[in-house]
Amino acid sequence: MLNVHNLSVSFAGSDLFSGVTFKLNKGDRIGLIGKNGAGKSTLLKVLSKDIETTGGTMAFDKEVRIGFLRQDIDFVEGRTILEEAYQAFEEIKQLEGKLEIINHELVERTDYESEYYHDLMVNLNEFSHRYELLGGYNYQGNTEKILQGLGFQREDFDKLTDTFSGGWRMRIELAKLLLQENDILLLDEPTNHLDIESIIWLENFLKVYSGAIVLVSHDKMFLDNVTNRTIEISLGKIYDYKKPYSQFLLLRGEIKEKQLQAQKNQEKEIKATQVLIDKFRAKANKATMAQSLIKRLDKVERIEVDDDDNAVMNVKFQISKEPGKIVIEAENLSKSYGKKHVLEDVDLLIERNSKIAFVGQNGQGKSTLAKIMVGEIPHGGHLKLGHNVEIGYFAQNQSEYLDAEKTVLEIMEDAATDTNRARVRDMLGSFLFSGDTVDKKAKMLSGGERNRLALCKLLLSPFNVLIMDEPTNHLDIASKNVLKLALKKFEGTLILVSHDRDFLQGLATTVYGFKDKVIKEYLGDIDFFLEQHQMENLREAEKRTVVAKKTDTSKKDVSQISRVEDKELKKLKNQLSKIETQIDNLEREISEMDEALVKDYEATSTKPNFFENYKAKKSKVEKLMDEWAEIEEKTENCA
């Protein structure tokens, strides 16, 4: 599908990467990894032909279609979600317009024998055939299915895109790409604005995607679940292995060990040869031998060990002072945006040193509650901070909190106090801002660099309660690991809003699930929450079954019913019995799947089509229950 040979990209005379060579085949799902600034997004832009290369060649198969999910997108104002999603079907929409005109003319015209009327019929046939070939009769249903998979509700479909945040608009753009059925799909951090349920849905979608995929992601679990190949960009070079991320790391480590051992053995041989050369040089009768050894040594190809970029942040969170036992207390808390109620009658009590994760679908109020806690937005009800509480807040959208026109150093110096202003440059160095990089304006920074700057700025203020809203967005995997370790060592109260399952593992001991304007507390980690979430869905299905089975099925005396009615009644009863057996079998299978998830979520959830089968079984139960209710009603009418 694509051959890349000796590709290089330079900025201001300096190579970002060079000598990049690889082949992209159908079915490849490549995880493109590397540190912030390594050139991952740039390489995607090169592959999409958004920017030109400095050197090298790219050869694409004929008529190959490329879809690119960019981090920065623009929407035409005035379109609804459905209208915007339908832009994925440009040719289908054009054909709809042509067919509408033709059908209108056919209704109006009466010159059935004319050449023009004949041409209309020919065009109608050709356009209709092409329309059907492109999936014109299915695209609306597919669009709704994918939009719902990405977290949209049916009632959202007719709302204007202007009324949704950038994260939700990114989902619409992703939906358009998935609907286009491109041959090559380029995804730049697709999970950044998705909740856990949508991430799992996207994982399952991409696993069966027929084309080739190249994705940039810092979500380790997502990479492991989706990719079958990893390309790492490090210090201007690439390392390409046909393994998902975690297996790639192991293999890369083994290869480097072998390189080190081979290099060590070679150095011993070179040293021994050099000793012989020095010895033979001193003797006239051995001069020829010495020259021969020198020539042999010159031909030896030195073994090189792959360089690693080991520069990482140095983060340490310290509490300012000891707060009281209760740090945050909320009573009857509520928040609405116009007619949309986000939170209602929320009661909350957070104790000192709690480690809490806010989890749930987007739009359920997680970030809203975080903003209420830091006093950023008004609300209903009461919220009280405890004695000596000082909050540190890391906001989700850093671009709104960093002055785009100021430099890295200016932003830090403006936020510094007299006591820590002298330490600003050292702090920036700890967050990998050194030399000329401190003079870069915020608008020139990458997403990962903005996050690092925001983290550094956060440390200038005292806090003992740390509230972080999606802190891992745009951070590379190495930086995420450093941040996670620092948060584990943090001795204060931690509240995390995150959809990154791997990052949350081992950090939060309590999870607050946000759904339908209320908050439910789960006294366990993120794995416990995911297990319970599946079990709760099962219980809901069981409750519906129990209610249905408790329906009064008493019948009149059969003797009072005619033979025809008696026969019909028996037929209905047999149907009921068969459906009840199907429901029981399906519920047992769903229960077994839930138990498997509880025992080993990661191993079970990565099985091919696991969640598709799971949802299909639950959907089948619901359909059977509806069918059962209809037949039961008929049975009662016959009795």
Side-chain angles (χ1 to χ4, degrees):
M1 298 182 83
L2 168 63
N3 276 302
V4 175
H5 180 69
N6 210 27
L7 206 66
S8 63
V9 172
S10 301
F11 292 109
S14 178
D15 282 343
L16 181 61
F17 50 75
S18 61
V20 171
T21 299
F22 65 90
K23 187 176 182 180
L24 184 62
N25 301 307
K26 187 175 182 178
D28 281 343
R29 297 193 299 274
I30 296 175
L32 187 59
I33 66 170
K35 299 187 70 173
N36 292 133
K40 304 183 298 297
S41 295
T42 300
L43 182 55
L44 289 187
K45 290 174 182 176
V46 168
L47 298 179
S48 67
K49 303 177 184 177
D50 278 11
I51 61 175
E52 294 183 1
T53 64
T54 308
T57 58
M58 293 192 301
F60 292 88
D61 284 354
K62 189 178 180 182
E63 296 182 356
V64 69
R65 296 168 299 172
I66 301 174
F68 182 22
L69 180 69
R70 299 167 177 82
Q71 289 191 21
D72 300 316
I73 55 174
D74 290 318
F75 275 96
V76 176
E77 293 186 1
R79 286 178 183 160
T80 65
I81 287 178
L82 271 182
E83 287 170 344
E84 184 63 46
Y86 288 160
Q87 299 305 307
F89 306 101
E90 186 177 349
E91 188 176 353
I92 287 178
K93 298 302 289 184
Q94 288 176 353
L95 286 169
E96 280 185 343
K98 291 177 181 178
L99 288 169
E100 185 178 353
I101 292 171
I102 290 173
N103 284 317
H104 180 73
E105 282 202 62
L106 289 174
V107 170
E108 297 292 327
R109 301 184 72 92
T110 57
D111 52 339
Y112 308 123
E113 303 300 325
S114 69
E115 185 176 344
Y116 185 82
Y117 194 90
H118 175 266
D119 290 342
L120 282 178
M121 294 301 295
V122 170
N123 288 337
L124 177 65
N125 182 57
E126 289 180 358
F127 293 159
S128 296
H129 179 68
R130 179 64 178 166
Y131 185 78
E132 183 177 2
L133 202 64
L134 293 172
Y137 299 108
N138 302 318
Y139 80 93
Q140 293 178 335
N142 291 338
T143 300
E144 293 183 11
K145 180 181 177 182
I146 285 181
L147 285 173
Q148 287 179 306
L150 291 172
F152 289 97
Q153 304 297 320
R154 282 190 176 276
E155 53 265 31
D156 296 329
F157 291 170
D158 294 325
K159 295 178 182 177
L160 295 177
T161 59
D162 317 11
T163 62
F164 286 83
S165 66
W168 282 100
R169 282 188 245 174
M170 184 68 76
R171 292 188 188 212
I172 302 170
E173 189 68 15
L174 178 57
K176 286 161 61 178
L177 287 179
L178 299 183
L179 287 163
Q180 285 171 351
E181 298 182 356
N182 293 288
D183 301 303
I184 299 175
L185 198 54
L186 309 175
L187 304 175
D188 197 352
E189 300 195 38
T191 64
N192 265 2
H193 300 285
L194 299 182
D195 52 58
I196 291 175
E197 289 184 13
S198 298
I199 290 172
I200 292 172
W201 180 89
L202 181 60
E203 284 177 357
N204 290 317
F205 186 96
L206 295 179
K207 283 177 188 176
V208 296
Y209 193 78
S210 60
I213 301 169
V214 183
L215 68 91
V216 173
S217 178
H218 302 130
D219 185 327
K220 290 190 285 186
M221 196 174 292
F222 184 76
L223 286 169
D224 280 340
N225 290 341
V226 171
T227 63
N228 55 20
R229 181 176 166 192
T230 301
I231 294 180
E232 179 186 25
I233 303 179
S234 179
L235 301 175
K237 296 181 179 179
I238 70 164
Y239 301 91
D240 186 356
Y241 296 98
K242 292 184 178 180
K243 299 286 184 183
Y245 178 73
S246 293
Q247 294 179 38
F248 157 78
L249 286 183
L250 293 173
L251 186 60
R252 182 109 150 75
E254 291 171 4
I255 289 172
K256 187 170 182 181
E257 271 187 40
K258 290 178 181 177
Q259 286 177 335
L260 285 167
Q261 188 59 47
Q263 187 186 58
K264 190 176 180 180
N265 293 336
Q266 187 185 62
E267 286 173 352
K268 283 182 181 179
E269 291 178 10
I270 291 173
K271 190 174 181 181
T273 304
Q274 191 63 52
V275 169
L276 285 175
I277 291 171
D278 293 340
K279 183 178 178 181
F280 291 159
R281 270 178 176 164
K283 299 178 181 180
N285 61 341
K286 298 288 185 179
T288 304
M289 180 69 74
Q291 288 300 317
S292 177
L293 288 173
I294 290 171
K295 288 179 181 180
R296 187 192 306 172
L297 203 59
D298 288 340
K299 292 179 181 179
V300 171
E301 188 174 340
R302 298 303 198 266
I303 295 173
E304 293 184 0
V305 178
D306 295 338
D307 292 326
D308 287 329
D309 187 353
N310 295 315
V312 293
M313 297 187 300
N314 181 16
V315 188
K316 188 175 181 181
F317 298 109
Q318 293 180 320
I319 61 171
S320 54
K321 64 179 80 168
E322 188 75 5
K325 184 178 180 181
I326 305 300
V327 294
I328 298 175
E329 185 175 4
E331 185 177 356
N332 296 326
L333 202 68
S334 62
K335 178 61 183 177
S336 299
Y337 295 98
K339 294 181 180 179
K340 184 179 181 181
H341 301 294
V342 180
L343 298 171
E344 279 186 5
D345 300 326
V346 172
D347 294 330
L348 207 60
L349 192 70
I350 298 177
E351 295 186 351
R352 179 180 59 217
N353 300 336
S354 298
K355 310 297 180 187
I356 296 170
F358 285 179
V359 176
Q361 288 187 334
N362 288 344
Q364 294 292 333
K366 303 182 302 296
S367 296
T368 295
L369 183 55
K371 291 177 181 178
I372 289 172
M373 287 177 171
V374 299
E376 191 172 292
I377 57 176
H379 59 87
H382 303 282
L383 184 131
K384 179 183 177 184
L385 300 183
H387 179 65
N388 278 342
V389 168
E390 293 180 326
I391 295 179
Y393 177 48
F394 182 93
Q396 180 182 148
N397 191 349
Q398 293 308 314
S399 60
E400 295 178 4
Y401 294 86
L402 300 174
D403 191 326
E405 295 301 324
K406 288 188 176 181
T407 66
V408 170
L409 185 59
E410 287 170 345
I411 287 171
M412 285 292 288
E413 287 179 336
D414 288 349
T417 63
D418 292 338
T419 56
N420 56 27
R421 185 166 283 106
R423 295 173 43 236
V424 162
R425 284 187 178 272
D426 289 338
M427 291 174 68
L428 285 171
S430 296
F431 283 80
L432 307 183
F433 292 105
S434 57
D436 295 338
T437 57
V438 300
D439 296 320
K440 286 174 68 175
K441 288 188 176 182
K443 65 182 180 182
M444 302 300 294
L445 299 177
S446 68
E449 288 172 327
R450 284 198 297 270
N451 266 28
R452 281 194 273 117
L453 178 56
L455 283 169
C456 188
K457 182 184 173 186
L458 179 65
L459 296 182
L460 291 171
S461 303
F463 56 83
N464 47 32
V465 175
L466 187 52
I467 300 175
M468 309 192 84
D469 193 354
E470 298 290 357
T472 61
N473 276 359
H474 305 294
L475 283 184
D476 57 55
I477 293 174
S479 297
K480 280 168 59 174
N481 291 338
V482 171
L483 176 60
K484 184 172 181 176
L485 183 61
L487 291 174
K488 279 186 175 180
K489 294 179 179 179
F490 178 54
E491 296 177 354
T493 303
L494 178 64
I495 299 173
L496 283 170
V497 181
S498 179
H499 301 304
D500 191 323
R501 293 159 291 173
D502 179 77
F503 184 73
L504 288 175
Q505 283 177 336
L507 272 183
T509 55
T510 303
V511 175
Y512 286 167
F514 286 65
K515 187 177 181 181
D516 298 331
K517 297 168 279 192
V518 297
I519 301 173
K520 182 175 180 180
E521 184 179 31
Y522 295 80
L523 298 175
D525 61 9
I526 186 62
D527 293 328
F528 177 77
F529 166 80
L530 291 172
E531 291 162 6
Q532 292 299 306
H533 197 52
Q534 296 291 344
M535 291 299 290
E536 282 179 7
N537 290 341
L538 176 64
R539 288 194 196 103
E540 288 174 10
E542 288 174 344
K543 285 175 184 176
R544 288 197 296 271
T545 305
V546 170
V547 170
K549 287 186 176 181
K550 284 183 178 179
T551 304
D552 182 16
T553 58
S554 62
K555 304 292 175 285
K556 297 177 184 177
D557 193 324
V558 177
S559 62
Q560 299 176 2
I561 307 173
S562 67
R563 288 183 180 181
V564 176
E565 290 173 330
D566 187 26
K567 188 177 179 181
E568 180 66 20
L569 183 60
K570 286 180 179 179
K571 181 181 176 182
L572 291 171
K573 282 184 174 181
N574 286 335
Q575 289 177 349
L576 282 176
S577 179
K578 287 180 181 179
I579 291 174
E580 286 171 358
T581 301
Q582 286 180 274
I583 291 172
D584 288 338
N585 290 337
L586 283 168
E587 286 177 341
R588 187 178 66 255
E589 291 171 10
I590 291 171
S591 180
E592 289 172 357
M593 294 173 84
D594 280 312
E595 288 174 7
L597 280 171
V598 171
K599 287 179 182 177
D600 192 340
Y601 178 82
E602 186 171 348
T604 305
S605 63
T606 54
K607 289 180 180 179
N609 302 323
F610 177 83
F611 281 103
E612 288 181 5
N613 293 334
Y614 184 84
K615 289 179 180 178
K617 290 179 189 296
K618 293 182 73 175
S619 178
K620 181 67 174 175
V621 168
E622 290 180 2
K623 289 179 181 177
L624 287 171
M625 286 306 305
D626 291 338
E627 190 177 342
W628 187 94
E630 289 178 11
I631 295 173
E632 175 62 19
E633 187 177 350
K634 291 179 182 178
T635 305
E636 289 179 353
N637 292 334
C638 282

